[in-house]
């Protein structure tokens, strides 16, 4: 059996439409049959004992949820009818006991991820014309996967961007999950082109172009999936038999809320946690410590111990590694007052690209985040700044090199150069000497393969492991410490972290990589202020343009121009004050607007603007379309 290694237009034009047509024909026949049945009254008993009335073959669990409340209807993903899981949109067939489940319930989560697997399958089939096999939620209880046959195409992370885009498109189309019952003969006809689907399943579901054999049940429609990410691709055998076809498995994760793709840990922990991690003995003087009900607590100065607890909370498999966790939590460190310096060293700070950190940061950094997230080179699930990567020893070099490449990519966006230093074992350290030597050797090898010059910084490593320190240089060649990459064999040992190896009877300890790109939002913001001297480049500026009408006569046109530029996605203001035009232009220059757009009666009549560039006296006249094209070119030019 062959499969195309690119989008198979013939497959999309023939097989999928034919399958949809057969599905719709069977569905129409079954709907006609149901119309012939009497819609007898039925009683629907809820968990609290209340009884709702409905009609047989007409009332669905979703109808019942809507009758109770709009929020319940919006959040209910699946129901249980007389002990059997049931689609929310599937009509009830008689008197029943009804339960409703949301994402907070195991039944709701499993159904959500099972449905997300169908969305993933749709993306894979549409993009690559592959032969889909099976797509369940994972047995470990988080996420899902889909096996498929691709012929000679080898999937990897480079394909994830396209897969995620197709999945997001499917979610945006609000495709309903529709169910029909089929005979074995009908199933064989539906999937005549795919021998992997020849089984005894007697129900078929459709969402958009995907028609798939499936027992179900499913969520009401694809729009419930608000966040979707591919995690990794691996090889598998059909039915687990190494003598059968070689398949490829794509793992994914999804959530009904984008925020759930972050992890967020508590701001304070009992000091027992910091004793386990070693921070109580080695870092306590830098922590804010207090007592609650005769127990000692500490505000977290870093996220790593919390992430260890997340790794530890259930059995992990080698297939999950590398596991990357990113945290947007606020950190507190009890810095000496003499060490505090503006925004570069503070007692409360935040690590991460989170868009709600502060209004000030969001205004200035929103565009940089958008550019990085939209990059084809890096998947969005590894973009958050403060992260911990749990991996196998054999994966260290690849993960470290990937972090270094990501640091280079981010710093290139801002025009930074950077230096690398390998900081080795300090006098006060945890663990065995042999472990330290192994960790330092792994970082040395990764640095050499990265190909950029680096220096040795003897004795300046963290107490739990060696690290690579990265200092950036701004436009005046001033150096600032920002990014860091720390290898840690100690915390996994102290928290007794393990994962099951290929041999399920064997357990191995993961290696933990601490990774930060910005260092902190506050410090990076301060560095950018110094680097650009307050004159933000157009692509990053929160004050990209301002429209200044010459007089009240051209004010309406000025507002029209402002709206056009705003609708095109740029930051733009309008000065509608009664000041003289010379004063407006001068104020706009002092406020560092990149472009000052002057409009008078002549511009209003011709549909143009007079364009002045920041810190330049000359000006030019442009049409709105030409101006927007210029803005786009300038935004795109930096990368």
């Amino acid at each position: 059996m062959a499969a195309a290694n690119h989008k198979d237009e013939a497959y999309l034009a023939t097989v999928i439409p034919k399958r949809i047509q057969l599905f719709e024909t069977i569905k129409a026949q079954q709907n006609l049959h149901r119309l012939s049945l009497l819609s007898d009254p039925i009683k629907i008993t809820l968990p609290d004992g209340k009884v709702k009335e409905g009609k047989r073959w007409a009332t669905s669990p979703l109808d019942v949820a809507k009758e109770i409340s709009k929020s319940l209807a919006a959040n209910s993903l699946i129901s249980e009818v007389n002990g059997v899981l049931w689609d929310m949109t599937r009509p009830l067939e008689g008197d029943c006991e009804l339960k409703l489940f949301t994402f907070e319930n195991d039944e709701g989560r499993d159904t959500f991820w099972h449905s997300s697997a169908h969305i993933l399958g749709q993306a894979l089939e549409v993009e690559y014309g592959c032969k889909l096999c099976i797509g369940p939620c994972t047995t470990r209880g988080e996420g899902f996967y889909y096996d498929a046959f691709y012929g000679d195409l080898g999937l990897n992370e480079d394909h994830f961007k396209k897969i995620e885009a197709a999945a997001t498109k499917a979610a945006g189309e609000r495709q309903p999950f529709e169910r029909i019952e089929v005979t074995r003969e009908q199933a064989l006809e539906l999937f005549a082109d795919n021998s992997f689907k020849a089984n005894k399943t007697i129900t078929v579901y459709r969402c958009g172009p995907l028609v798939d054999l499936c027992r179900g049940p499913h969520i009401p429609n694809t729009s419930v999936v608000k966040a979707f990410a591919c995690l990794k691709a691996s090889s598998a055998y059909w039915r687990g038999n190494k003598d059968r076809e070689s398949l490829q498995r794509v793992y994914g994760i999804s959530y009904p809320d984008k925020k759930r793709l972050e992890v967020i840990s508590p701001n304070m922990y009992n000091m027992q946690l910091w004793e386990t991690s070693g921070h109580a003995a080695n870092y306590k003087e830098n922590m804010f410590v207090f007592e609650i009900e005769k127990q000692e607590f500490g505000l977290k100065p870093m996220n790593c111990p919390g992430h260890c607890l997340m790794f530890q909370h259930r059995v992990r498999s080698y297939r999950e590694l590398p596991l990357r966790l990113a945290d947007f939590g606020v950190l507190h460190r009890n810095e000496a007052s003499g060490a505090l310096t503006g925004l570069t060293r503070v007692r409360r700070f935040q690590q991460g690209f989170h868009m709600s950190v502060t209004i000030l940061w969001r205004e200035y950094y929103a565009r940089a985040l958008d550019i990085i997230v939209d990059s084809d080179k890096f998947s969005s699930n590894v973009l958050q700044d403060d992260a911990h990567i749990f991996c196998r020893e054999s994966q260290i070099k690849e993960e470290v090199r990937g972090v270094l490449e990501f640091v280079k990519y981010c710093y290139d966006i801002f025009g930074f150069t950077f230096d690398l230093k390998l900081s080795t074992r300090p006098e006060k350290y945890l663990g065995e000497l042999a472990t330290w030597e192994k960790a330092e050797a792994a970082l040395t090898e990764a640095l050499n393969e990265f190909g950029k010059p680096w220096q040795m910084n003897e004795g300046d490593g963290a107490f739990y492991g060696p690290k690579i320190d990265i200092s950036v240089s701004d436009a005046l060649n001033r150096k600032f410490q920002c990014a860091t990459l720390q290898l840690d064999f100690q915390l996994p040992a102290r928290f007794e972290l393990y994962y099951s190896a290929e041999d399920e009877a064997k357990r191995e300890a993961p290696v933990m990589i601490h990774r930060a790109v910005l260092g902190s939002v506050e410090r990076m913001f301060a560095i950018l202020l110094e680097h650009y001297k307050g004159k933000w480049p157009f692509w990053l500026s929160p004050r990209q343009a301002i429209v200044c009408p010459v007089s009240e006569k051209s004010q309406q046109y000025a507002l029209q121009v402002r709206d056009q530029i705003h609708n095109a996605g740029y930051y733009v203001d309008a000065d509608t004050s009664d000041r003289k035009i010379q004063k407006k232009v001068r104020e706009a220059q002092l406020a560092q607007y990149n472009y000052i757009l002057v409009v008078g009666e002549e511009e209003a009549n011709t549909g143009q603007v007079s364009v002045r560039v920041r810190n330049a006296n000359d000006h030019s006249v442009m049409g709105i379309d030409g101006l927007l094209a210029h803005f786009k070119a300038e935004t795109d030019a930096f990368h």
Side-chain angles (χ1 to χ4, degrees):
M1 183 184 293
N5 59 6
H6 53 81
K7 185 177 290 189
D8 190 334
E9 299 297 343
Y11 183 87
L12 296 177
T14 57
V15 175
I16 292 179
K18 177 183 175 183
R19 195 179 293 161
I20 292 173
Q21 184 179 8
L22 285 171
F23 180 95
E24 292 299 322
T25 299
I26 297 170
K27 185 181 74 170
Q29 292 170 349
Q30 293 183 0
N31 287 342
L32 186 62
H33 174 66
R34 288 172 182 171
L35 288 175
S36 67
L37 300 174
L38 293 175
S39 296
D40 297 328
I42 59 173
K43 292 183 179 180
I44 305 162
T45 305
L46 303 178
D48 61 3
K50 293 181 180 178
V51 177
K52 298 287 184 180
E53 291 189 353
K55 289 192 174 184
R56 181 170 177 254
W57 293 108
T59 302
S60 70
L62 184 59
D63 295 326
V64 177
K66 288 178 179 178
E67 187 178 337
I68 296 172
S69 74
K70 289 183 178 179
S71 61
L72 180 62
N75 293 316
S76 294
L77 300 176
I78 199 65
S79 67
E80 184 182 273
V81 177
N82 293 336
V84 177
L85 288 179
W86 200 271
D87 297 301
M88 288 294 294
T89 56
R90 181 181 171 187
L92 299 170
E93 299 175 2
D95 294 345
C96 62
E97 294 182 354
L98 176 66
K99 295 180 181 178
L100 302 175
F101 301 112
T102 68
F103 191 81
E104 306 308 319
N105 309 113
D106 290 340
E107 296 86 348
R109 281 193 297 274
D110 285 348
T111 301
F112 186 90
W113 284 325
H114 181 194
S115 300
S116 296
H118 278 237
I119 297 175
L120 172 60
Q122 177 186 147
L124 296 174
E125 186 177 57
V126 168
E127 292 300 324
Y128 301 106
C130 56
K131 308 297 183 183
L132 298 176
C133 300
I134 58 172
C137 59
T138 57
T139 54
R140 65 180 183 260
E142 289 186 1
F144 49 91
Y145 67 84
Y146 217 117
D147 288 344
F149 181 77
Y150 297 82
D152 59 359
L153 172 65
L155 286 183
N156 55 51
E157 290 189 1
D158 293 338
H159 297 90
F160 287 177
K161 192 76 174 181
K162 180 182 288 187
I163 296 170
E164 290 168 356
T168 301
K169 179 177 181 291
E173 291 173 352
R174 198 179 178 86
Q175 301 167 356
F177 281 87
E178 302 174 280
R179 176 185 183 272
I180 59 172
E181 297 178 1
V182 298
T183 64
R184 179 171 174 76
E185 290 72 22
Q186 287 172 326
L188 290 172
E189 185 181 7
L190 275 165
F191 300 98
D193 65 294
N194 188 347
S195 61
F196 295 103
K197 293 295 182 179
N199 58 34
K200 296 181 180 180
T201 304
I202 59 169
T203 55
V204 173
Y205 279 81
R206 176 190 172 192
C207 63
L210 179 73
V211 177
D212 205 2
L213 282 170
C214 183
R215 293 184 180 87
H218 285 284
I219 58 178
N221 63 70
T222 58
S223 70
V224 180
V225 179
K226 304 297 186 187
F228 186 102
C230 294
L231 299 179
K232 63 179 179 178
S234 64
S235 298
Y237 290 107
W238 177 234
R239 298 303 187 191
N241 186 341
K242 63 181 179 61
D243 297 323
R244 298 293 301 273
E245 293 88 345
S246 178
L247 311 176
Q248 293 186 71
R249 176 173 295 177
V250 177
Y251 286 92
I253 189 67
S254 62
Y255 291 99
D257 185 335
K258 288 185 178 180
K259 292 180 180 178
R260 294 179 186 256
L261 285 175
E262 305 143 26
V263 296
I264 301 178
S265 53
N267 284 337
M268 66 178 184
Y269 292 98
N270 191 295
M271 282 303 294
Q272 292 177 354
L273 176 77
W274 305 110
E275 289 167 6
T276 300
S277 69
H279 288 89
N282 294 275
Y283 200 79
K284 189 174 182 179
E285 66 272 16
N286 297 109
M287 296 176 61
F288 289 102
V289 179
F290 50 93
E291 187 176 285
I292 300 176
E293 296 181 350
K294 299 182 179 179
Q295 292 190 62
E296 199 172 31
F297 286 78
L299 289 176
K300 66 175 180 182
M302 61 273 298
N303 293 308
C304 27
H307 290 181
C308 288
L309 294 183
M310 295 180 190
F311 185 97
Q312 187 187 53
H313 89 280
R314 63 170 175 79
V315 176
R316 300 285 180 178
S317 166
Y318 74 95
R319 294 182 182 276
E320 297 179 65
L321 304 183
L323 175 65
R324 305 179 183 102
L325 299 178
D327 202 319
F328 294 128
V330 174
L331 304 179
H332 294 82
R333 295 182 184 176
N334 188 16
E335 302 280 4
S337 59
L340 300 177
T341 309
L343 288 173
T344 58
R345 186 171 293 275
V346 292
R347 288 181 173 140
R348 179 190 185 277
F349 60 96
Q350 188 135 6
Q351 291 180 307
F353 287 175
H354 199 260
M355 297 300 290
S356 61
V357 175
T358 62
I359 293 176
L360 185 63
W361 180 254
R362 182 173 68 249
E363 287 294 315
Y364 279 85
Y365 205 66
R367 290 187 172 274
L369 176 62
D370 289 341
I371 294 299
I372 294 173
V373 169
D374 286 341
S375 166
D376 289 332
K377 189 172 183 181
F378 294 96
S379 180
S380 60
N381 62 321
V382 297
L383 291 178
Q384 288 70 31
D385 188 50
D386 187 32
H388 297 96
I389 304 169
F390 297 90
C391 65
R392 310 178 76 176
E393 284 193 26
S394 61
Q395 297 169 328
I396 290 176
K397 186 170 64 174
E398 181 180 353
E399 287 299 307
V400 170
R401 191 170 62 244
V403 170
L404 292 174
E405 291 287 353
F406 181 53
V407 169
K408 181 180 184 301
Y409 170 76
C410 292
Y411 286 179
D412 283 349
I413 286 178
F414 298 110
F416 291 146
T417 58
F418 61 93
D419 297 321
L420 300 167
K421 290 183 180 179
L422 173 57
S423 298
T424 57
R425 186 182 70 257
E427 291 185 11
K428 191 176 182 181
Y429 67 92
L430 297 176
E432 301 296 326
L433 180 60
T435 302
W436 275 84
E437 290 175 345
K438 185 193 303 182
E440 291 173 2
L443 292 183
T444 298
E445 189 174 355
L447 279 168
N448 288 335
E449 290 191 4
F450 182 54
K452 185 177 175 62
W454 59 276
Q455 296 178 339
M456 188 71 74
N457 190 14
E458 295 282 358
D460 200 39
F463 67 87
Y464 49 77
K467 61 180 180 175
I468 297 174
D469 287 321
I470 302 166
S471 58
V472 302
S473 299
D474 66 7
L476 297 180
N477 204 31
R478 293 170 296 188
K479 295 186 182 300
F480 300 90
Q481 172 67 47
C482 291
T484 187
L485 187 157
Q486 302 172 3
L487 200 58
D488 189 351
F489 289 83
Q490 313 305 327
L491 278 184
R494 296 179 72 89
F495 280 93
E496 298 182 347
L497 304 184
Y498 298 99
Y499 60 89
S500 60
E502 289 93 332
D503 179 358
E504 294 184 0
K506 186 179 180 182
R507 297 193 309 171
E508 297 180 357
V511 179
M512 188 176 183
I513 300 175
H514 306 250
R515 186 270 276 151
V517 178
L518 302 183
S520 76
V521 171
E522 291 79 1
R523 177 174 293 180
M524 180 55 74
F525 183 48
I527 293 170
L528 288 173
L529 280 170
E530 296 286 347
H531 183 60
Y532 294 124
K533 302 178 183 178
K535 299 182 185 298
W536 298 91
F538 179 79
W539 69 272
L540 183 55
S541 177
R543 294 176 172 174
Q544 293 178 303
I546 186 170
V547 186
C548 299
V550 173
S551 66
E552 188 175 353
K553 293 180 180 179
S554 53
Q555 185 166 302
Q556 187 61 40
Y557 176 65
L559 296 177
Q560 178 184 328
V561 171
R562 179 200 63 185
D563 292 345
Q564 283 183 267
I565 297 173
H566 172 77
N567 291 336
Y570 299 99
Y571 293 129
V572 59
D573 295 314
D575 186 347
T576 57
S577 67
D578 58 359
R579 294 179 295 184
K580 297 289 187 181
I581 188 60
Q582 292 81 3
K583 181 68 171 177
K584 290 181 181 181
V585 170
R586 180 56 182 160
E587 290 293 326
Q589 289 175 329
L590 293 175
Q592 299 299 332
Y593 282 94
N594 297 73
Y595 288 95
I596 303 165
L597 312 176
V598 177
V599 295
E601 289 186 70
E602 183 178 348
E603 287 78 12
N605 292 331
T606 59
Q608 295 178 313
V609 293
S610 178
V611 182
R612 297 172 184 263
V613 182
R614 180 179 60 194
N615 297 332
N617 293 323
D618 58 333
H619 66 277
S620 59
V621 177
M622 301 179 68
I624 304 301
D625 290 341
L627 178 68
L628 294 178
H630 178 74
F631 283 178
K632 185 179 186 305
E634 187 163 350
T635 302
D636 294 342
F638 81 96
H639 73 114

